[in-house]
Amino acid sequence: MELQLSGMIPPVVSPLTPDHRPDIGAVRRLTAHVRDGGASALFVLGSCGEGPTLEPAVASGITRAYVEAVAGSVPVLAGVGETSTERALRAAREFEQLGVDALVVMAPMYFDTDTDGAVVRHVTALAEATSLPLVVYNIPHLTHHPITPRALREVAAIDSVVALKESSGEWDTYAALAEAASAAGLRVFQGAEALIARSLAAGADGAVPGIANVVPGLAARLVDAGLSGDSTQAAALQAQLDDVCGVYRSGFWLTSLKAALTELGIIGSTAGQALTPPDADGLTEVHRVLVATGLVEVPA
């Protein structure tokens, strides 16, 4: 596979209209925002993008909108997070037809079967069904199927598997998977914001931070500093990024992220109906963090 991923890849949110349809104008604004900030690719339909929960037609509409907005300037990666391999195959084929450049494959999310075997069968089936490069995505607190180093070593032998995105948030888990991935020649990406600088110092190829929806430039500078070996600068930028991540503490993390983007005038706040929106105190806290980090000015 020719795709060589590196750098800062934002897992972009899915902008929705109040009636829960794709908000095309907001997709274009967010695409420009993260591209101008230094994104090396875009990851759509991940956890930030509500990929596993959107109606299939809405997920396809969001994907199409991002592909069109990017217009070939950077790769677009589409998340495939489904309860079964059968559903994942349907999604993968559709996203390939929509023109994405790679698929980010989570473990199947429902039945509690033998973890390693399920992961290997799942990734193998997707590799056989599509010509796209695959990124293996470990996010066990949401899939309830951890991808182990053993399973990763087996699927890494598949030609189309090119990278690992690790989002457990646990350093020991990350380190073990990163070692297995690197030994197999895969690129390695950290998905947990708090571990970006540490991961880059340990040899990661980049990061996929949700907070980059809000501060893509800061996230890109952090990744660049880490990749260049400037640990002092990376540590300083990591601290700044941690401060912006304070928006997550205002309520449910995803709706708080969308609330921050709403205050910045980039998207609307609509999210999945089951997701708790920030209350008045939560919105106040989002505003406080944006002001404290210099992203919103206080009127004179």
Side-chain angles (χ1 to χ4, degrees):
M1 290 288 162
E2 295 182 1
L3 184 66
Q4 295 292 316
L5 299 171
S6 65
M8 194 282 289
I9 303 175
V12 286
V13 302
S14 291
L16 302 172
T17 62
D19 61 350
H20 294 267
R21 310 312 298 172
D23 187 336
I24 306 302
V27 167
R28 292 170 180 161
R29 289 192 296 274
L30 184 57
T31 298
H33 178 60
V34 298
R35 283 287 293 116
D36 291 348
S40 60
L42 270 64
F43 171 30
V44 306
L45 304 182
S47 303
C48 286
E50 302 173 68
T53 61
L54 294 175
E55 292 182 85
V58 174
S60 295
I62 288 287
T63 303
R64 181 184 295 107
Y66 273 115
V67 169
E68 292 176 352
V70 165
S73 59
V74 294
V76 176
L77 288 57
V80 179
E82 296 285 351
T83 54
S84 70
T85 302
E86 291 78 8
R87 288 176 180 245
L89 291 172
R90 177 207 57 77
R93 293 182 182 116
E94 182 163 1
F95 298 152
E96 183 170 17
Q97 291 177 354
L98 291 173
V100 304
D101 299 283
L103 301 174
V104 183
V105 181
M106 306 174 205
M109 300 179 181
Y110 191 79
F111 286 115
D112 185 12
T113 182
D114 61 308
T115 298
D116 285 355
V119 168
V120 172
R121 289 191 296 274
H122 187 70
V123 176
T124 300
L126 285 163
E128 291 173 348
T130 174
S131 63
L132 293 174
L134 305 182
V135 177
V136 176
Y137 181 8
N138 188 49
I139 185 163
H141 53 285
L142 294 182
T143 64
H144 308 291
H145 265 189
I147 295 172
T148 67
R150 176 184 173 187
L152 182 63
R153 283 191 291 270
E154 191 163 346
V155 299
I158 300 170
D159 288 343
S160 58
V161 174
V162 299
L164 165 74
K165 177 180 185 277
E166 210 295 301
S167 296
S168 69
E170 300 290 337
W171 179 257
D172 289 346
T173 298
Y174 168 79
L177 285 170
E179 180 180 8
S182 296
L186 305 184
R187 297 293 179 97
V188 177
F189 293 84
Q190 176 59 262
E193 285 104 338
L195 297 176
I196 292 175
R198 185 177 181 184
S199 301
L200 294 167
D205 297 287
V208 189
I211 202 65
N213 284 274
V214 176
V215 283
L218 173 58
R221 291 194 300 275
L222 166 56
V223 172
D224 288 346
L227 290 175
S228 69
D230 190 341
S231 58
T232 300
Q233 178 72 352
L237 293 169
Q238 178 74 66
Q240 293 179 38
L241 196 77
D242 293 345
D243 288 342
V244 183
C245 286
V247 300
Y248 293 143
R249 295 191 292 271
S250 61
F252 180 64
W253 68 271
L254 179 52
T255 52
S256 297
L257 182 64
K258 282 194 162 183
L261 288 165
T262 300
E263 182 158 354
L264 294 175
I266 300 172
I267 71 166
S269 61
T270 302
Q273 294 183 54
L275 305 182
T276 305
D279 58 17
D281 289 341
L283 292 174
T284 298
E285 177 62 12
V286 168
H287 177 72
R288 186 199 67 77
V289 171
L290 295 178
V291 170
T293 54
L295 298 172
V296 170
E297 294 184 2
V298 179

